[in-house]
Amino acid sequence: MFRILLVLAALGSAGAARAETEYYTGYSQIMRGDYAAAQSMIEKELKAGPRDADLLLNLAFVYTRTGRRAEAAALYRQVLALPDDEMMSNGGTVMSHDLAERGLKRLTVLADCRCGQ
């Protein structure tokens, strides 16, 4: 199953995953910068069902943007423990493991330079 992704190249990190149904993934809230609403929605969905790579990636993105890097890293590792999921990104395809690895690298860079989000 393909999922559409938006990779925020300007940030150099994995962006918010956008599934066919944007509502439950928190994608729209993330794009508006409403991280609290996105987090609430995503966490509710994760409690209700199986671990989806798109939900975990989006929550990791929210955690990164709100300074919770350790929690974001744990979520990226959870994505790596799932089967690699092919997703669409900017007209091409990208694998969920690639996004998780990019997210972990981004966290390492942020920690090393003590940069902001």
Coordinates of all heavy atoms in Angstrom, one line a residue, residues 12-98:
G12 N 16.0 19.2 6.3 CA 16.9 18.1 6.2 C 16.5 17.0 7.1 O 17.3 16.2 7.5
S13 N 15.2 16.8 7.3 CA 14.8 15.7 8.1 C 13.5 15.1 7.5 O 12.9 15.6 6.6 CB 14.4 16.2 9.5 OG 13.3 17.0 9.5
A14 N 13.2 13.9 8.1 CA 11.9 13.3 7.6 C 10.8 14.2 8.0 O 10.7 14.7 9.1 CB 11.8 11.9 8.3
G15 N 9.9 14.4 7.1 CA 8.7 15.2 7.3 C 7.6 14.4 7.8 O 7.7 13.3 8.1
A16 N 6.4 15.1 7.8 CA 5.2 14.4 8.2 C 4.7 13.5 7.1 O 4.6 13.8 6.0 CB 4.2 15.5 8.5
A17 N 4.4 12.3 7.5 CA 3.8 11.3 6.6 C 2.3 11.7 6.4 O 1.6 12.0 7.3 CB 3.9 9.9 7.2
R18 N 1.9 11.6 5.1 CA 0.6 12.0 4.8 C -0.1 10.8 4.1 O 0.2 10.3 3.0 CB 0.6 13.1 3.7 CG -0.7 13.6 3.2 CD -0.5 14.7 2.3 NE -1.8 15.0 1.7 CZ -1.9 15.9 0.7 NH1 -0.8 16.5 0.2 NH2 -3.0 16.2 0.2
A19 N -1.1 10.2 4.8 CA -1.8 9.0 4.4 C -3.0 9.4 3.5 O -3.3 10.6 3.4 CB -2.2 8.1 5.5
E20 N -3.6 8.4 2.9 CA -4.8 8.8 2.1 C -5.8 9.6 2.9 O -6.5 10.5 2.4 CB -5.5 7.5 1.5 CG -4.6 6.7 0.5 CD -3.9 5.6 1.2 OE1 -4.2 5.2 2.3 OE2 -2.9 5.1 0.6
T21 N -6.0 9.2 4.1 CA -6.9 9.9 5.0 C -6.0 10.8 5.9 O -5.4 10.3 6.8 CB -7.7 9.0 5.9 OG1 -8.4 8.1 5.0 CG2 -8.7 9.7 6.7
E22 N -6.0 12.1 5.6 CA -5.1 13.0 6.4 C -5.5 13.2 7.8 O -4.7 13.4 8.7 CB -5.0 14.3 5.7 CG -4.3 14.3 4.4 CD -4.3 15.7 3.7 OE1 -4.6 16.7 4.4 OE2 -4.0 15.7 2.5
Y23 N -6.8 13.0 8.1 CA -7.3 13.4 9.4 C -6.7 12.6 10.5 O -6.1 13.2 11.4 CB -8.8 13.2 9.4 CG -9.4 13.5 10.7 CD1 -9.6 14.8 11.1 CD2 -9.8 12.5 11.6 CE1 -10.1 15.1 12.4 CE2 -10.3 12.8 12.9 CZ -10.4 14.1 13.3 OH -10.9 14.4 14.5
Y24 N -6.7 11.3 10.4 CA -6.2 10.5 11.6 C -4.7 10.5 11.8 O -4.2 10.2 12.8 CB -6.8 9.1 11.5 CG -5.9 8.1 10.7 CD1 -5.0 7.3 11.4 CD2 -6.0 8.0 9.3 CE1 -4.2 6.4 10.7 CE2 -5.2 7.2 8.6 CZ -4.3 6.3 9.3 OH -3.6 5.5 8.6
T25 N -4.0 10.9 10.8 CA -2.5 10.9 10.9 C -1.9 12.2 11.5 O -0.7 12.2 11.8 CB -1.8 10.7 9.5 OG1 -2.1 11.8 8.7 CG2 -2.3 9.4 8.8
G26 N -2.7 13.2 11.7 CA -2.3 14.4 12.2 C -1.6 15.3 11.2 O -1.0 16.4 11.5
Y27 N -1.6 14.9 9.9 CA -0.8 15.6 8.9 C -1.3 17.1 8.8 O -0.4 18.0 8.8 CB -1.0 14.9 7.5 CG -0.4 15.6 6.4 CD1 1.0 15.6 6.1 CD2 -1.2 16.4 5.6 CE1 1.5 16.3 5.1 CE2 -0.6 17.1 4.5 CZ 0.7 17.0 4.3 OH 1.3 17.7 3.2
S28 N -2.6 17.3 8.7 CA -3.1 18.7 8.5 C -2.7 19.5 9.7 O -2.3 20.7 9.5 CB -4.6 18.6 8.4 OG -4.9 18.0 7.2
Q29 N -2.8 19.0 10.9 CA -2.4 19.7 12.1 C -0.9 20.1 12.1 O -0.5 21.2 12.5 CB -2.8 19.0 13.4 CG -4.3 18.8 13.6 CD -4.9 17.8 12.7 OE1 -4.3 17.0 12.0 NE2 -6.2 17.8 12.6
I30 N -0.1 19.1 11.7 CA 1.4 19.4 11.6 C 1.7 20.5 10.6 O 2.4 21.4 10.9 CB 2.1 18.1 11.2 CG1 2.0 17.1 12.4 CG2 3.6 18.4 10.9 CD1 2.5 15.7 12.0
M31 N 1.0 20.4 9.5 CA 1.3 21.5 8.5 C 0.8 22.8 8.9 O 1.4 23.8 8.5 CB 0.6 21.1 7.1 CG 1.1 19.9 6.4 SD 2.8 20.1 5.9 CE 3.8 19.3 7.2
R32 N -0.1 22.9 9.8 CA -0.6 24.2 10.4 C 0.3 24.6 11.6 O 0.2 25.7 12.1 CB -2.0 24.1 10.9 CG -3.1 24.1 9.8 CD -4.5 24.3 10.3 NE -4.8 23.6 11.6 CZ -5.4 22.5 11.7 NH1 -5.8 21.9 10.6 NH2 -5.7 21.9 12.8
G33 N 1.2 23.7 12.0 CA 2.0 24.0 13.2 C 1.3 23.8 14.5 O 1.8 24.2 15.5
D34 N 0.2 23.1 14.5 CA -0.6 22.8 15.7 C -0.1 21.4 16.2 O -0.8 20.4 16.1 CB -2.1 22.8 15.4 CG -2.9 22.7 16.7 OD1 -2.4 22.5 17.8 OD2 -4.1 22.9 16.5
Y35 N 1.1 21.4 16.8 CA 1.7 20.2 17.3 C 0.9 19.5 18.4 O 0.9 18.3 18.5 CB 3.1 20.4 17.6 CG 3.9 20.9 16.5 CD1 4.7 22.1 16.6 CD2 4.0 20.2 15.2 CE1 5.4 22.6 15.5 CE2 4.7 20.7 14.2 CZ 5.4 21.9 14.3 OH 6.1 22.4 13.2
A36 N 0.3 20.3 19.3 CA -0.5 19.7 20.4 C -1.7 18.9 19.8 O -1.9 17.8 20.3 CB -0.9 20.8 21.3
A37 N -2.4 19.5 18.9 CA -3.5 18.8 18.3 C -3.1 17.6 17.5 O -3.7 16.5 17.6 CB -4.3 19.7 17.4
A38 N -2.0 17.7 16.8 CA -1.5 16.5 16.0 C -1.1 15.4 17.0 O -1.4 14.3 16.8 CB -0.3 16.9 15.2
Q39 N -0.4 15.8 18.1 CA 0.0 14.7 19.0 C -1.2 14.0 19.6 O -1.2 12.8 19.7 CB 0.9 15.4 20.1 CG 1.3 14.4 21.2 CD 2.0 15.0 22.3 OE1 2.7 16.1 22.2 NE2 2.0 14.4 23.5
S40 N -2.2 14.8 20.0 CA -3.4 14.2 20.6 C -4.1 13.3 19.7 O -4.4 12.2 20.1 CB -4.3 15.4 21.0 OG -5.5 14.8 21.5
M41 N -4.2 13.7 18.4 CA -4.9 12.8 17.4 C -4.1 11.6 17.2 O -4.6 10.5 17.1 CB -5.0 13.6 16.1 CG -5.7 12.9 15.0 SD -6.0 13.9 13.6 CE -7.0 15.2 14.4
I42 N -2.8 11.7 17.0 CA -1.9 10.5 16.7 C -1.9 9.6 17.8 O -2.0 8.3 17.6 CB -0.5 11.0 16.3 CG1 -0.5 11.8 15.0 CG2 0.4 9.8 16.1 CD1 0.7 12.6 14.7
E43 N -1.7 10.1 19.0 CA -1.7 9.2 20.2 C -3.0 8.4 20.4 O -3.0 7.2 20.7 CB -1.3 10.0 21.4 CG 0.1 10.4 21.5 CD 0.5 11.2 22.6 OE1 -0.4 11.8 23.3 OE2 1.7 11.4 22.9
K44 N -4.1 9.1 20.1 CA -5.4 8.4 20.2 C -5.5 7.3 19.1 O -6.0 6.2 19.5 CB -6.5 9.5 19.9 CG -7.9 8.9 19.9 CD -9.0 10.0 19.6 CE -10.3 9.3 19.5 NZ -11.3 10.3 19.1
E45 N -5.1 7.5 17.9 CA -5.1 6.5 16.9 C -4.1 5.4 17.2 O -4.5 4.2 17.0 CB -4.7 7.1 15.5 CG -5.8 8.0 15.0 CD -7.1 7.3 14.7 OE1 -7.1 6.1 14.3 OE2 -8.1 7.9 15.0
L46 N -3.0 5.6 17.8 CA -2.1 4.6 18.2 C -2.6 3.7 19.3 O -2.4 2.5 19.3 CB -0.7 5.2 18.6 CG 0.2 5.7 17.4 CD1 1.4 6.5 18.0 CD2 0.6 4.6 16.5
K47 N -3.4 4.3 20.2 CA -4.0 3.5 21.2 C -5.1 2.6 20.7 O -5.4 1.5 21.2 CB -4.6 4.4 22.3 CG -3.6 5.0 23.2 CD -4.2 5.9 24.2 CE -3.2 6.6 25.0 NZ -3.7 7.6 25.9
A48 N -5.8 3.0 19.6 CA -6.9 2.3 19.1 C -6.5 1.2 18.1 O -7.3 0.3 17.9 CB -7.8 3.3 18.3
G49 N -5.4 1.2 17.6 CA -5.0 0.2 16.6 C -3.6 -0.1 16.5 O -2.8 0.3 17.4
P50 N -3.2 -0.8 15.5 CA -1.8 -1.3 15.3 C -0.9 -0.1 15.1 O -1.3 1.0 14.7 CB -1.9 -2.2 14.1 CG -3.1 -1.7 13.3 CD -4.1 -1.2 14.3
R51 N 0.3 -0.4 15.3 CA 1.4 0.6 15.0 C 1.6 0.8 13.5 O 2.0 -0.1 12.8 CB 2.7 0.2 15.6 CG 2.6 0.0 17.1 CD 3.1 1.2 17.8 NE 3.2 1.0 19.3 CZ 2.5 1.7 20.1 NH1 1.6 2.6 19.7 NH2 2.6 1.5 21.4
D52 N 1.3 1.9 13.0 CA 1.5 2.2 11.6 C 2.7 3.1 11.5 O 2.9 4.1 12.2 CB 0.3 3.0 11.0 CG -1.0 2.2 10.9 OD1 -0.8 1.0 10.6 OD2 -2.0 2.7 11.0
A53 N 3.5 2.9 10.5 CA 4.7 3.7 10.3 C 4.4 5.1 10.1 O 5.1 6.0 10.6 CB 5.5 3.1 9.1
D54 N 3.3 5.4 9.4 CA 3.0 6.8 9.1 C 2.7 7.6 10.4 O 3.1 8.7 10.6 CB 1.9 7.0 8.1 CG 0.6 6.3 8.4 OD1 0.6 5.4 9.2 OD2 -0.4 6.7 7.8
L55 N 1.9 6.9 11.3 CA 1.6 7.5 12.6 C 2.8 7.7 13.4 O 3.0 8.8 14.1 CB 0.6 6.7 13.3 CG -0.8 6.6 12.8 CD1 -1.7 5.5 13.5 CD2 -1.5 7.9 12.8
L56 N 3.7 6.7 13.5 CA 4.9 6.8 14.3 C 5.9 7.8 13.8 O 6.5 8.6 14.5 CB 5.6 5.4 14.3 CG 4.8 4.3 15.1 CD1 5.5 3.0 14.9 CD2 4.7 4.6 16.5
L57 N 6.0 7.9 12.4 CA 6.8 9.0 11.8 C 6.3 10.4 12.1 O 7.1 11.3 12.5 CB 6.9 8.8 10.3 CG 7.8 7.6 9.9 CD1 7.6 7.3 8.4 CD2 9.3 7.8 10.2
N58 N 5.0 10.5 12.1 CA 4.4 11.8 12.3 C 4.6 12.2 13.8 O 4.9 13.4 14.1 CB 2.9 11.9 12.0 CG 2.7 12.0 10.5 OD1 3.7 12.2 9.7 ND2 1.5 12.0 10.1
L59 N 4.4 11.3 14.7 CA 4.6 11.6 16.1 C 6.0 11.9 16.4 O 6.3 12.8 17.2 CB 4.0 10.4 17.0 CG 3.9 10.7 18.5 CD1 3.1 12.0 18.8 CD2 3.4 9.5 19.2
A60 N 6.9 11.1 15.8 CA 8.4 11.4 16.0 C 8.7 12.8 15.5 O 9.5 13.6 16.1 CB 9.2 10.4 15.2
F61 N 8.1 13.2 14.4 CA 8.3 14.6 13.8 C 7.8 15.6 14.9 O 8.5 16.6 15.1 CB 7.6 14.7 12.5 CG 7.8 16.1 11.9 CD1 8.9 16.4 11.2 CD2 6.8 17.0 12.0 CE1 9.1 17.6 10.6 CE2 7.0 18.3 11.4 CZ 8.1 18.6 10.7
V62 N 6.6 15.4 15.4 CA 6.1 16.3 16.4 C 7.0 16.4 17.6 O 7.3 17.5 18.1 CB 4.6 15.9 16.8 CG1 4.2 16.6 18.1 CG2 3.6 16.1 15.7
Y63 N 7.4 15.2 18.1 CA 8.3 15.2 19.2 C 9.6 16.0 18.9 O 10.1 16.7 19.8 CB 8.6 13.8 19.7 CG 7.5 13.1 20.4 CD1 7.6 11.8 20.7 CD2 6.4 13.8 20.8 CE1 6.6 11.1 21.4 CE2 5.4 13.1 21.5 CZ 5.5 11.8 21.8 OH 4.5 11.2 22.5
T64 N 10.2 15.8 17.7 CA 11.4 16.5 17.4 C 11.2 18.0 17.4 O 11.9 18.8 17.9 CB 11.9 16.1 16.0 OG1 12.2 14.7 16.0 CG2 13.1 16.8 15.6
R65 N 10.1 18.4 16.8 CA 9.7 19.9 16.7 C 9.4 20.5 18.0 O 9.6 21.7 18.2 CB 8.6 20.1 15.7 CG 8.8 19.7 14.3 CD 9.9 20.5 13.6 NE 9.4 21.8 13.5 CZ 10.1 22.8 12.9 NH1 11.3 22.6 12.5 NH2 9.6 24.0 12.8
T66 N 9.1 19.7 19.0 CA 8.7 20.2 20.3 C 9.8 19.9 21.4 O 9.6 20.0 22.6 CB 7.4 19.7 20.8 OG1 7.3 18.3 20.8 CG2 6.2 20.2 19.9
G67 N 11.0 19.5 20.9 CA 12.2 19.4 21.8 C 12.2 18.1 22.5 O 13.1 17.9 23.4
R68 N 11.4 17.1 22.2 CA 11.5 15.8 22.9 C 12.2 14.8 22.0 O 11.7 13.8 21.5 CB 10.1 15.3 23.2 CG 9.4 16.3 24.2 CD 8.0 16.0 24.5 NE 7.2 16.5 23.3 CZ 6.0 16.2 23.1 NH1 5.3 15.5 23.9 NH2 5.4 16.7 22.0
R69 N 13.5 15.0 21.9 CA 14.4 14.2 21.0 C 14.5 12.7 21.4 O 14.5 11.9 20.6 CB 15.7 14.9 20.9 CG 15.6 16.3 20.3 CD 16.9 17.0 20.2 NE 16.7 18.3 19.6 CZ 17.5 19.3 19.9 NH1 18.5 19.1 20.6 NH2 17.2 20.5 19.4
A70 N 14.6 12.4 22.7 CA 14.7 11.1 23.1 C 13.5 10.3 22.8 O 13.6 9.1 22.3 CB 15.0 11.0 24.6
E71 N 12.3 10.9 22.9 CA 11.1 10.2 22.6 C 10.9 10.0 21.1 O 10.5 9.0 20.6 CB 9.8 11.0 23.1 CG 9.7 11.0 24.6 CD 10.4 12.3 25.2 OE1 11.3 12.8 24.7 OE2 9.9 12.7 26.3
A72 N 11.4 11.0 20.3 CA 11.4 10.9 18.9 C 12.3 9.8 18.4 O 11.9 9.0 17.5 CB 11.8 12.3 18.2
A73 N 13.5 9.7 19.0 CA 14.4 8.6 18.6 C 13.8 7.3 18.9 O 13.9 6.3 18.0 CB 15.7 8.8 19.4
A74 N 13.1 7.1 20.0 CA 12.5 5.8 20.3 C 11.4 5.5 19.3 O 11.3 4.3 18.8 CB 11.8 5.9 21.7
L75 N 10.7 6.5 18.8 CA 9.6 6.2 17.8 C 10.3 5.8 16.4 O 9.8 4.9 15.7 CB 8.7 7.4 17.6 CG 7.8 7.7 18.8 CD1 7.1 9.0 18.6 CD2 6.8 6.5 19.0
Y76 N 11.4 6.5 16.1 CA 12.1 6.2 14.8 C 12.6 4.7 14.9 O 12.5 4.0 13.9 CB 13.2 7.1 14.5 CG 12.8 8.5 14.1 CD1 13.3 9.7 14.7 CD2 11.9 8.7 13.0 CE1 12.9 10.9 14.2 CE2 11.5 9.9 12.6 CZ 12.0 11.0 13.2 OH 11.6 12.3 12.8
R77 N 13.0 4.3 16.1 CA 13.5 2.9 16.2 C 12.3 1.9 16.1 O 12.5 0.8 15.6 CB 14.2 2.8 17.6 CG 15.6 3.4 17.6 CD 16.4 3.1 18.8 NE 17.4 4.1 19.0 CZ 17.4 5.2 19.7 NH1 16.3 5.4 20.5 NH2 18.4 6.0 19.8
Q78 N 11.2 2.3 16.6 CA 10.0 1.5 16.4 C 9.6 1.3 15.0 O 9.3 0.2 14.5 CB 8.8 2.1 17.2 CG 8.8 1.9 18.6 CD 7.5 2.5 19.3 OE1 6.4 2.3 18.8 NE2 7.7 3.1 20.4
V79 N 9.8 2.4 14.2 CA 9.5 2.3 12.7 C 10.5 1.3 12.1 O 10.1 0.4 11.3 CB 9.6 3.6 12.0 CG1 9.6 3.5 10.5 CG2 8.5 4.6 12.5
L80 N 11.7 1.3 12.5 CA 12.8 0.4 12.0 C 12.5 -1.0 12.4 O 12.9 -1.9 11.7 CB 14.1 0.8 12.5 CG 14.6 2.2 11.9 CD1 15.9 2.6 12.6 CD2 14.8 2.1 10.4
A81 N 11.7 -1.3 13.5 CA 11.4 -2.6 13.9 C 10.2 -3.2 13.1 O 10.0 -4.4 13.1 CB 11.1 -2.6 15.4
L82 N 9.5 -2.3 12.4 CA 8.3 -2.7 11.6 C 8.8 -3.1 10.2 O 9.9 -2.8 9.8 CB 7.3 -1.6 11.5 CG 6.6 -1.1 12.7 CD1 5.8 0.2 12.4 CD2 5.7 -2.2 13.3
P83 N 8.0 -3.8 9.5 CA 8.3 -4.1 8.1 C 8.5 -2.8 7.3 O 7.8 -1.8 7.6 CB 7.1 -4.9 7.5 CG 6.5 -5.5 8.7 CD 6.7 -4.5 9.8
D84 N 9.5 -2.7 6.4 CA 9.7 -1.5 5.7 C 8.5 -1.3 4.7 O 8.1 -2.2 4.0 CB 11.0 -1.7 4.8 CG 11.7 -0.4 4.5 OD1 11.3 0.6 5.0 OD2 12.7 -0.5 3.8
D85 N 8.0 -0.1 4.8 CA 6.8 0.3 4.1 C 7.1 1.3 3.0 O 7.7 2.3 3.2 CB 5.8 0.9 5.1 CG 4.4 0.9 4.5 OD1 4.1 0.4 3.4 OD2 3.5 1.5 5.2
E86 N 6.7 0.9 1.7 CA 7.0 1.9 0.6 C 5.9 3.0 0.6 O 4.7 2.7 0.7 CB 6.9 1.1 -0.7 CG 7.3 1.9 -1.9 CD 7.4 1.1 -3.1 OE1 6.6 0.1 -3.3 OE2 8.2 1.4 -4.0
M87 N 6.4 4.2 0.5 CA 5.5 5.4 0.5 C 5.9 6.3 -0.6 O 7.0 6.2 -1.1 CB 5.7 6.1 1.9 CG 5.4 5.2 3.1 SD 5.8 6.2 4.6 CE 5.3 4.9 5.8
M88 N 4.9 7.1 -1.0 CA 5.2 8.1 -2.1 C 5.6 9.4 -1.5 O 5.1 9.8 -0.5 CB 4.0 8.3 -2.9 CG 3.6 7.0 -3.7 SD 2.2 7.3 -4.8 CE 2.8 8.5 -5.9
S89 N 6.6 10.0 -2.1 CA 7.1 11.3 -1.6 C 7.5 12.2 -2.8 O 8.3 11.8 -3.6 CB 8.3 11.1 -0.8 OG 8.9 12.3 -0.4
N90 N 6.8 13.3 -2.9 CA 7.2 14.3 -4.0 C 7.3 13.6 -5.4 O 8.2 13.8 -6.1 CB 8.4 15.0 -3.7 CG 8.4 15.8 -2.4 OD1 7.3 16.3 -2.0 ND2 9.5 15.9 -1.7
G91 N 6.3 12.8 -5.7 CA 6.3 12.1 -7.0 C 7.1 10.9 -7.1 O 7.1 10.2 -8.1
G92 N 7.9 10.6 -6.1 CA 8.7 9.3 -6.1 C 8.3 8.5 -5.0 O 7.3 8.7 -4.3
T93 N 9.1 7.5 -4.7 CA 8.8 6.6 -3.6 C 10.0 6.7 -2.6 O 11.1 6.9 -2.9 CB 8.6 5.1 -4.0 OG1 9.8 4.7 -4.6 CG2 7.4 5.0 -4.9
V94 N 9.7 6.4 -1.3 CA 10.6 6.4 -0.2 C 10.2 5.3 0.7 O 9.0 5.0 0.8 CB 10.8 7.8 0.4 CG1 9.5 8.1 1.1 CG2 12.0 7.8 1.4
M95 N 11.1 4.7 1.4 CA 10.8 3.6 2.3 C 10.7 4.2 3.7 O 11.4 5.1 4.1 CB 11.8 2.5 2.2 CG 12.0 1.9 0.8 SD 10.4 1.2 0.2 CE 10.2 -0.2 1.2
S96 N 9.8 3.6 4.5 CA 9.7 4.1 5.9 C 11.0 4.0 6.7 O 11.3 4.9 7.5 CB 8.5 3.3 6.6 OG 8.8 1.9 6.7
H97 N 11.8 2.9 6.4 CA 13.0 2.8 7.2 C 14.0 3.9 6.8 O 14.7 4.4 7.6 CB 13.7 1.5 6.9 CG 13.0 0.3 7.6 ND1 13.5 -0.9 7.6 CD2 11.8 0.3 8.3 CE1 12.7 -1.7 8.2 NE2 11.6 -1.0 8.7
D98 N 14.0 4.4 5.5 CA 14.8 5.5 5.1 C 14.4 6.7 5.9 O 15.3 7.5 6.3 CB 14.7 5.7 3.6 CG 15.4 4.6 2.8 OD1 16.2 3.9 3.3 OD2 15.0 4.4 1.6

